[in-house]
Amino acid sequence: MREKILSLLEKNSRIDIKDVAVMLGVSEVEVANEIATMEKENIICGYNTIIDWSKTGDEKVIALIEVKVTPQRGLGFDKIAERLYQYNEVTSVYLMSGGFDFTVIIEDKTMKAVAQFVADKLSPLETVLSTSTHFVLKKYKDYGTVLGSTHKDERILITP
């Protein structure tokens, strides 16, 4: 039941508990209790809304920054990640395999603000060896949701 609830919530965090209960064939109380338990256990860490900022007057610049670091003895990557995710501009931090150690995703008002963040806050950290910044030009799909598409009516028009 747990995995099914998580799957439904991942697709639509606003789904009504009553609908989940009907889909799973259990009571609303069972669903509510299971969700509460998963929240307490930090399995469910939050609920997010996906916004297409390009359709608002408040666009944001999103940057993916590849970061190479030197891990500190005895602390590893976790302490560095903790330092990185403390910045307000940072929306996500991922430990990576391959040619760099972290992907840091930030959002700010302008490219200049992103550059300022990298120059003033990220690069000066003693563990940071190098960075490479990539700007998101357009989002097509975000967290499984297609953005900016208009529903295409595929019905055949029949006229008398």
Side-chain angles (χ1 to χ4, degrees):
M1 175 169 78
R2 198 171 250 210
E3 290 79 20
K4 290 178 183 177
I5 291 172
L6 291 171
S7 181
L8 290 168
L9 287 174
E10 188 175 41
K11 289 180 183 133
N12 178 8
S13 64
R14 292 186 60 174
I15 192 168
D16 192 75
I17 289 176
K18 180 192 256 184
D19 294 336
V20 175
V22 169
M23 289 177 187
L24 301 180
V26 297
S27 73
E28 290 179 45
V29 172
E30 286 178 275
V31 172
N33 288 340
E34 190 63 34
I35 290 171
T37 299
M38 289 188 288
E39 289 172 343
K40 286 179 191 159
E41 294 174 356
N42 284 321
I43 293 169
I44 297 175
C45 301
Y47 299 90
N48 295 311
T49 302
I50 299 168
I51 298 168
D52 188 349
W53 288 103
S54 68
K55 292 184 177 182
T56 71
D58 190 25
E59 284 193 56
K60 297 180 179 189
V61 174
I62 300 168
L64 285 75
I65 306 167
E66 297 173 354
V67 183
K68 288 184 185 179
V69 298
T70 303
Q72 297 170 331
R73 184 173 300 242
L75 300 176
F77 291 107
D78 292 345
K79 197 69 173 169
I80 299 169
E82 186 178 327
R83 177 89 187 263
L84 296 172
Y85 67 64
Q86 295 297 324
Y87 291 112
N88 290 332
E89 299 91 339
V90 173
T91 60
S92 302
V93 176
Y94 303 104
L95 181 62
M96 306 297 293
S97 64
F100 55 94
D101 301 304
F102 290 103
T103 295
V104 176
I105 301 175
I106 72 166
E107 291 183 5
D108 219 319
K109 295 284 185 191
T110 65
M111 287 181 160
K112 183 176 181 179
V114 170
Q116 200 74 41
F117 170 82
V118 173
D120 294 347
K121 295 179 180 177
L122 189 57
S123 293
L125 295 176
E126 60 195 36
T127 57
V128 172
L129 298 174
S130 67
T131 65
S132 179
T133 303
H134 309 273
F135 290 97
V136 174
L137 302 177
K138 182 177 180 179
K139 284 186 184 182
Y140 293 97
K141 187 174 184 178
D142 199 13
Y143 294 99
T145 300
V146 176
L147 305 175
S149 70
T150 55
H151 178 68
K152 192 174 171 184
D153 190 353
E154 296 183 10
R155 294 178 292 174
I156 299 172
L157 179 63
I158 300 176
T159 57

